[in-house]
Amino acid sequence: MAESTDTDQTFDNAGLSEIDVSVIIPAYNCESLVEETIRSVTSQELLDQRLEIIAVDDGSTDATFAVLSRLSQVIDELTVYAIPNSGSASAPRNLGLEHARGRYVFFLDADDKLAPHALRRLVTVADDTNSGVVLCKLGEFGPQKRASNVPTQAFKKTVYEADYIDSKAYTTLGALKLYRRSILAENDIRFPLGYTIGEDQPFAMEAYFHSPHVSILSDRVYYWARGRDDGTNVTSQGQSARKHYLKIKTLIKVIADGPETGSRRSILLRRPLTANAGVRTVFGKPWLLDFGRDERQKMVAEFQELITPLWDDELRASGSLESQLLIDQLAAGDIESLEAISNNMANSEPIALEFDESASQFYYRSARGSRFDNLNLTLSTRGHAIWRTGNELHVRGSLGIDGDSRGPDTAHMVWTHRRDSVDKRFAVDLTHSASKDDSGRAQFDVAIPIDQLDRPGEWDAFVEASWGSFTLSSRFGKSKSPSINTSPAFVGSPVCAAVIYTRFGNLTVDVGPTQKYLSSGNSGVPEVAGKLTLFTNEVATLRGDFEYLVGAKVQSSKSAQPIDADFVNYGGNCASVVVPRSIFKHGPYTISLIDVEGTLHTIDASTSKKISLRELRNEAG
């Protein structure tokens, strides 16, 4: 059935019905995808009048409405509506809610799909647990990654009848869940209008408020979210700073008016305030460019009234330096300091900080002279060079706090044993302002005697800096000069440790080593370039990469076991293996090169090309 309508209606179907679940699908320009979505619903085991599908076309400019209308002629459970384009999923979802008759509603985007048997499992869990909201694990499919990541924090394990904060359900505020419809109807919970991205956040939050508890299904993927490569989905197109501002305000008001207080409320307020998607999406460069001074003053007054009663020490401690200071100034109504901080952020400049020597504490001084301390500061580090001499590892780098013009008094490189949590501290040679790098950080050099890392296993590198009694520490290695080679390096002869960079880019030393780090790709397999007879031996000349190769074995077709052979590395890409007469007199032989981890790499030694001693000398440089 196809029908055109508007959204000026109220919930009028709140009574019980034989329908278990109403699947509501907002659709916009999905003509090639929406049928797959619909079919994923009709294949669920909830037909025979226990399922209805409500699809609402949001003014598509392609053939989406025609596809939906055609499907409604052959799918009895499908009802189709159309509205003028509203620009977001809110209006179509609200219209779907007004017509829904199921005991539960489930929101499905028109380019996504349900996994087999998903709805049956969701409804069963909701009935058995009396949960007002049932969350299900999402997975990704499609030609590219989605514009927004699928939630993961709440889906570590399956839980039933859980508190929505203790279970981390509050971290996922998307609409793509099963909701008890009576909760939505009795509390008039709707999707807010006026912005495009994040409209589902206040909806889900209010549903949590009015649910006796929630359940979370993490045992498998129930909902497949498509990553599209056509750039037409709303999330990938983004939204203006004005809409972000409306989104943030709306969610803050919902939380402020909700039932939570104290620490539980502060946890919920992190998302619109101190998280990366909070005030920082509005204030900063967008605030200076998109809003005039009069409008900025109005926003400050509005936000000051909204957040002053909410901005407590616990919530403040959860924010980054920028978030802390932005909200501090909003709460103080200090537009001049807000503009100064926003200008710093717009130009990627650090916010100037001062240091109280007597209190050993950094603080920010506002334009009005107010002091803001207890700041969340980060020790910034960068690796500039790393090299080995004998059994020592040398590290050159830089460190500092963005916005600090003073520099630390002392610093150490601290190596922490990953398994045993034992620390080894090495004072660094710290050079102050005269040698600051282009980021304003102080430079340092340190030599690490590897034998002082006296336990086998992985030692992780940290840098610690102190200003008086104030100390900060940071993992070291992720930020590094492009000239640093991140391939495994080996210290000692014989090897006593491997110097590696983890998959997160941080510096680690594996004493032992306890693992193997070389593959055929980085150990190399050289080739035999030629041979010459020298006294009673034959010398095989090799070309290739010899950085990780330390020895050789040779074996004739007549011998049962390979024997050690002299391996001479001339540096560069040239080396040779000395093959004794007892081996080469029997005809063809094989050469196996030994890398620093003891792995053998057999190379083809069948070449018969003869070279002269002069040619060998030229090869060796």
Side-chain angles (χ1 to χ4, degrees), residues 514-585:
T514 62
Q515 300 180 48
K516 288 186 176 291
Y517 297 99
L518 296 180
S519 65
S520 58
N522 56 22
S523 61
V525 180
E527 61 179 8
V528 176
K531 298 175 181 177
L532 77 128
T533 301
L534 191 61
F535 303 110
T536 60
N537 300 318
E538 184 168 88
V539 178
T541 306
L542 312 179
R543 290 198 190 100
D545 180 4
F546 301 98
E547 179 180 1
Y548 299 105
L549 299 173
V550 294
K553 290 180 178 291
V554 293
Q555 182 177 8
S556 75
S557 58
K558 302 292 185 179
S559 57
Q561 297 291 333
I563 64 171
D564 292 333
D566 289 336
F567 174 76
V568 183
N569 187 345
Y570 301 111
N573 64 350
C574 182
S576 64
V577 174
V578 180
V579 183
R581 178 175 174 78
S582 61
I583 295 294
F584 75 83
K585 72 178 182 179

Side-chain angles (χ1 to χ4, degrees), residues 179-355:
Y179 299 85
R180 190 176 297 274
R181 189 168 66 85
S182 60
I183 289 175
L184 308 178
E186 291 165 7
N187 298 285
D188 196 25
I189 301 175
R190 296 253 195 129
F191 292 90
L193 304 175
Y195 55 99
T196 305
I197 300 171
E199 78 293 336
D200 43 7
Q201 295 176 10
F203 180 92
M205 188 68 76
E206 285 198 87
Y208 288 150
F209 288 161
H210 295 285
S211 298
H213 44 252
V214 304
S215 292
I216 304 174
L217 303 182
S218 306
D219 56 320
R220 64 181 177 91
V221 171
Y222 291 84
Y223 186 111
W224 290 102
R226 186 189 302 268
R228 293 169 61 177
D229 57 3
D230 56 9
T232 60
N233 58 313
V234 171
T235 304
S236 66
Q237 296 175 3
Q239 66 181 359
S240 68
R242 279 185 171 79
K243 290 186 176 182
H244 273 303
Y245 181 60
L246 180 58
K247 176 195 75 172
I248 292 168
K249 279 196 310 178
T250 303
L251 185 55
I252 293 172
K253 288 178 179 177
V254 165
I255 297 170
D257 294 339
E260 306 295 357
T261 58
S263 293
R264 286 174 65 87
R265 184 179 68 185
S266 293
I267 289 172
L268 301 181
L269 284 168
R270 291 175 188 174
R271 187 180 196 122
L273 287 177
T274 59
N276 287 335
V279 296
R280 295 178 60 177
T281 61
V282 176
F283 299 93
K285 187 174 183 179
W287 195 56
L288 298 176
L289 295 180
D290 298 353
F291 303 93
R293 184 65 189 273
D294 290 345
E295 195 172 7
R296 294 203 292 268
Q297 287 179 323
K298 180 180 177 182
M299 291 169 67
V300 171
E302 185 177 50
F303 228 75
Q304 181 183 23
E305 181 180 1
L306 178 61
I307 67 171
T308 298
L310 308 173
W311 189 231
D312 58 23
D313 290 342
E314 180 181 358
L315 179 57
R316 186 176 185 272
S318 70
S320 65
L321 172 67
E322 291 81 4
S323 295
Q324 285 181 323
L325 293 180
L326 285 172
I327 303 173
D328 283 341
Q329 310 318 308
L330 285 165
D334 187 346
I335 188 171
E336 290 80 11
S337 295
L338 267 171
E339 289 173 337
I341 295 170
S342 295
N343 188 65
N344 290 135
M345 294 171 64
N347 294 301
S348 299
E349 297 173 347
I351 299 169
L353 303 174
E354 299 180 39
F355 187 73

